[in-house]
Amino acid sequence: MIGNLIFLGVIVFGVVGLVAIFGKPGSAAKRRFSDGYFYFMAFVTLMVLYLALADLARLILEKWWLGGISPNTSTYVYSGYVPSRSLVNTQEQWLRGLSLRVSAILVSLPIWFFHLHKAIAKSKEEIDESGKRAYSFAFVLVMGLSSIGMLIGAMYLGVNAMLGITLSLGEKQALAYLLPYSIGALTLWWVHWKMWHETRQPYQR
């Protein structure tokens, strides 16, 4: 589900960005294309950063609630890596998963910061408002849609726990997933909604 929403966000960003770039020919279009690159890279790397941070929190919650043993061992498998059959130490599995998420954070964080800084570290007159609008709107759409279902699921399991209903192993794992992902999605939605609202103000006057 999240993968499909990310793909949707990339499409929305691309469509809005291309319309903005080719809406004005000449040097303005070239400048917008350059700024569009920075916003696009900022979008992609922030999505990677969000997923890595949320999944890192999920691993920590699973360690706390389930002792670090996930019912789904394929959780720790990523594209291009097939764990050895001899790897039976669940603690080592958990550490491998932790290492992968931390590595993704360490790589994506500076790349996101660099590209976003290059896009917005300009005077107010030089900032590409169209690129900024496409960047923020893509996050508003993707995070808004994804947070609805995840928040409902997290709220359902949380209310069950408060009512004294014993959560099964699978439900605890689901809650460990839903809590960090939904909180992260809601945070990104709020931050980028404010950014998007600021870019729309000139059109509302």
Side-chain angles (χ1 to χ4, degrees), residues 10 41 44-45 47 56 59 63 65 67 74-75 84-85 96 116 122 133 143 149 153 160 162 179 187-189 195 202:
V10 171
M41 286 299 296
V44 172
T45 51
M47 287 303 308
L56 178 62
L59 287 179
K63 180 72 171 179
W65 292 340
S74 64
T75 299
S84 170
R85 291 182 179 274
R96 285 177 180 271
L116 186 62
K122 304 174 181 179
R133 192 178 308 115
M143 295 296 107
N160 283 350
M162 288 189 293
L179 273 179
T187 301
L188 286 176
W189 174 86
M195 182 186 295

Side-chain angles (χ1 to χ4, degrees), residues 63-110:
K63 180 72 171 179
W64 182 20
W65 292 340
L66 308 176
I69 303 175
S70 172
N72 181 15
T73 56
S74 64
T75 299
Y76 306 112
V77 180
Y78 60 94
S79 178
Y81 170 72
V82 180
S84 170
R85 291 182 179 274
S86 62
L87 183 61
V88 295
N89 190 327
T90 55
Q91 177 66 16
E92 184 175 340
Q93 276 189 305
W94 186 82
L95 290 174
R96 285 177 180 271
L98 192 74
S99 176
L100 177 60
R101 276 69 178 180
V102 171
S103 298
I105 293 169
L106 293 177
V107 171
S108 59
L109 179 59

